[in-house]
Amino acid sequence: MRRRMRNGGRWGKAEAVVRELEERFSTPAGKLRQVADAMTVEMHAGLASEGGSKLKMLISYVDNLPTGDENGLFYALDLGGTNFRVMRVQLGGKEGRVAKQEFAEVSIPPHLMTGTSHELFDFIAAELAKFVATEGEGFHLSHGRQRELGFTFSFPVRQTSISSGTLIKWTKGFSIDDTVGEDVVAELTKAMERQGLDMRVSALVNDTIGTLAGGRYTDKDVVVAVILGTGSNAAYVERAHAIPKWHGLLPKSGEMVINMEWGNFRSSHLPLTEYDQAMDTESLNPGEQIFEKLVSGMYLGEIVRRVLLRMAEEAAFFGDTVPAKLRIPFVLRTPDMSAMHHDHSPDLKIVGNKLKNILGITNTSLKTRKMIIEICDIVAARGARLAAAGIYGVLKKMGRDTIIRDGEKQKTVVAVDGGLYEHYTFYRECLHSTMTELLGEGVSNTVILEHSNDGSGTGAALLAASHSQYLEVDES
């Protein structure tokens, strides 16, 4: 009898933790609208003045997105982590589109991530030169022209023109002091010269802007890009005269792409809990990237781990001793959470295997496994619904939360990239259904979220084309 009581007591306590989680993580539509409105307000503040908001609202200097008319051979270099990609694209105008493309992926030796600027850029330029040397049939550079490159550099940069920007700080395991404060395009250009490679960087962009360009090339209605992967960010097309902090000449196109850096968004309306606060305090960047910590792939699995740890400590959920591995930060990765969440086997076998292999927890009952799925539900749904609120806030700022604008029916396409969106089906479906809920049936038919698979690499080559030094020549 006592044994059953103890078990019942455990279940009661565990249930109480889950019910409280559900309540604290809840995101009713009214709350999401408040989050969206706060996002819109912060966007205005970030555009008005430097440092006016937690949202940096960086001016990208991209004032010409691809139109589909681009012609010729263009290269791209995508550096955003421990690997980089080099790519070449032969563009054939409206008819030929992307006639041919090839790419190569290169791993960066770990010692170069903490060495000198010179060594890192020499390595990159040497690999780029090797890749150029393999340019074969189907690729041709117009006579007398220099090769042009789009450079996707996914680290914090203070952009000073379409083809220059100084590194603010390294992230993702890089730590090369002598690059900080330097113009990364100048560093790459000098390294290419040392290799004897005649190539000009005509666009410096980040992955979100590359995704926007790649999306726009295939669909003229793409006006927003969102990355939902390990991290999260958004970029969109703003009217140039609606950027008070812009003091340069207004671009001919009348438009300017803004890199929001929305991971750093925060608001009193965000449903932050003790799990989020503890995770933030113990993170490498406390107080920063609060929105990213709620919605992106780097953190969802870690939030689930923290909930399970609390259940193990307070409700002896996994037996009398707390499993040692459950105390290791980030031991439960979001892809593993996603695999458990998508387990449709009758005995939830995948959940059992993941618990055993990752956390060393064996002999879990079906009831226990079901409760773990419920926790994944609660955490993933909050993340996806908040991401949807963010997108809704951006659409409101752009006046695209209505069907008719300036007397015309409008269609809006949001290009979305990133592993979280691509592979976590529950998250993606929840994001889509929340957008419908916020926009309403009518408007939601005119707003399409489209997966843009690795648009950022192709996007950089396309931006090199739309900002080519030879454009004036071709047009005259």
Side-chain angles (χ1 to χ4, degrees):
M1 181 70 193
R2 279 190 60 201
R3 172 91 190 135
R4 259 183 63 201
M5 272 300 295
R6 256 180 71 196
N7 258 349
R10 269 180 195 177
W11 270 107
K13 279 182 181 164
E15 272 280 349
V17 172
V18 177
R19 295 287 73 83
E20 183 194 25
L21 182 75
E22 194 170 33
E23 189 187 318
R24 298 268 170 90
F25 273 51
S26 82
T27 47
K31 184 176 259 316
L32 294 180
R33 289 182 198 286
Q34 289 175 318
V35 170
D37 288 341
M39 181 70 83
T40 307
V41 167
E42 289 297 319
M43 288 172 76
H44 278 283
L47 290 172
S49 63
E50 288 302 338
S53 162
K54 282 276 183 194
L55 289 182
K56 287 201 168 66
M57 302 300 283
L58 301 171
I59 291 167
S60 70
Y61 294 88
V62 170
D63 53 9
N64 283 305
L65 282 166
T67 59
D69 293 326
E70 290 75 17
N71 236 313
L73 170 63
F74 295 92
Y75 276 78
L77 165 64
D78 189 345
L79 176 65
T82 48
N83 294 338
F84 67 88
R85 291 180 76 167
V86 284
M87 178 187 263
R88 63 177 145 251
V89 182
Q90 186 74 43
L91 300 171
K94 275 272 189 282
E95 305 308 310
R97 307 296 287 182
V98 175
K100 192 172 184 186
Q101 61 178 343
E102 290 176 345
F103 72 89
E105 192 144 331
V106 184
S107 287
I108 298 174
H111 72 274
L112 291 181
M113 293 169 65
T114 54
T116 68
S117 197
H118 210 300
E119 290 168 333
L120 175 68
F121 283 99
D122 274 356
F123 176 76
I124 293 170
E127 291 295 330
L128 187 56
K130 267 189 226 166
F131 183 67
V132 171
T134 63
E135 200 178 277
E137 275 182 38
F139 294 98
H140 39 267
L141 190 66
S142 298
H143 183 66
R145 291 197 171 180
Q146 190 181 19
R147 285 182 180 80
E148 294 184 290
L149 173 88
F151 185 13
T152 305
F153 185 76
S154 298
F155 298 93
V157 160
R158 188 165 285 108
Q159 196 112 3
T160 44
S161 77
I162 182 63
S163 57
S164 59
T166 54
L167 177 66
I168 296 168
K169 63 172 185 207
W170 286 107
T171 53
K172 309 176 208 183
F174 282 80
S175 175
I176 304 170
D177 292 342
D178 61 349
T179 326
V180 176
E182 294 298 322
D183 178 356
V184 291
V185 173
E187 294 292 300
L188 178 61
T189 303
K190 284 185 288 196
M192 290 193 296
E193 283 166 4
R194 289 193 291 268
Q195 289 293 330
L197 177 59
D198 183 24
M199 189 178 266
R200 172 181 180 266
V201 178
S202 50
L204 171 69
V205 294
N206 77 355
D207 55 351
T208 319
I209 288 165
T211 299
L212 182 58
R216 170 65 69 95
Y217 183 70
T218 51
D219 187 338
K220 64 175 182 12
D221 292 315
V222 171
V223 287
V224 183
V226 175
I227 304 276
L228 289 166
T230 307
S232 182
N233 192 12
Y236 74 105
V237 182
E238 183 55 276
R239 300 179 311 283
H241 65 75
I243 310 171
K245 69 180 179 185
W246 170 258
H247 300 304
L249 285 171
L250 285 183
K252 275 194 205 130
S253 66
E255 295 183 332
M256 179 61 74
V257 175
I258 297 292
N259 166 18
M260 290 176 61
E261 291 293 337
W262 87 353
N264 210 36
F265 168 68
R266 64 183 313 169
S267 155
S268 57
H269 297 297
L270 291 173
L272 288 169
T273 66
E274 67 266 37
Y275 299 109
D276 305 299
Q277 273 141 358
M279 181 173 74
D280 177 49
T281 306
E282 293 163 33
S283 71
L284 294 170
N285 53 347
E288 299 289 315
Q289 301 298 100
I290 297 298
F291 190 58
E292 183 170 80
K293 285 169 182 165
L294 297 174
V295 305
S296 84
M298 173 95 188
Y299 303 100
L300 298 177
E302 171 63 3
I303 297 168
V304 171
R305 179 196 71 83
R306 287 171 178 270
V307 176
L308 294 178
L309 177 60
R310 182 167 164 208
M311 289 168 76
E313 289 174 340
E314 291 186 9
F317 190 57
F318 300 111
D320 292 329
T321 52
V322 175
K325 285 184 176 170
L326 197 50
R327 297 191 185 278
I328 304 169
F330 293 96
V331 68
L332 183 64
R333 294 163 54 250
T334 303
D336 297 313
M337 167 188 174
S338 168
M340 292 198 293
H341 204 170
H342 296 140
D343 184 357
H344 300 303
S345 60
D347 57 349
L348 296 178
K349 195 170 161 190
I350 297 168
V351 178
N353 285 343
K354 291 283 180 194
L355 291 171
K356 184 171 136 214
N357 298 337
I358 296 165
L359 300 171
I361 298 168
T362 51
N363 306 328
T364 46
S365 68
L366 182 58
K367 194 174 173 187
T368 300
R369 294 174 190 186
K370 280 184 173 163
M371 193 174 264
I372 287 168
I373 296 267
E374 194 181 349
I375 293 164
C376 292
D377 256 359
I378 295 167
V379 174
R382 181 187 70 163
R385 286 176 67 78
L386 287 173
I391 297 171
Y392 181 51
V394 176
L395 295 176
K396 287 184 83 157
K397 166 73 181 78
M398 299 175 78
R400 285 181 174 268
D401 55 334
T402 57
I403 298 177
I404 308 287
R405 177 162 161 249
D406 302 334
E408 284 181 30
K409 264 194 160 181
Q410 59 180 354
K411 179 181 166 214
T412 302
V413 180
V414 180
V416 192
D417 197 11
L420 179 64
Y421 181 80
E422 186 179 353
H423 302 298
Y424 202 148
T425 314
F426 173 90
Y427 185 100
R428 182 176 63 246
E429 287 171 355
C430 181
L431 178 78
H432 287 201
S433 62
T434 309
M435 287 302 300
T436 305
E437 184 184 338
L438 291 172
L439 289 162
E441 279 299 337
V443 181
S444 70
N445 291 331
T446 68
V447 175
I448 290 120
L449 268 58
E450 212 161 70
H451 179 222
S452 159
N453 194 8
D454 187 43
S456 71
T458 321
L462 291 164
L463 285 166
S466 62
H467 293 81
S468 163
Q469 62 190 327
Y470 301 112
L471 274 185
E472 306 293 322
V473 183
D474 293 344
E475 284 168 7
S476 55

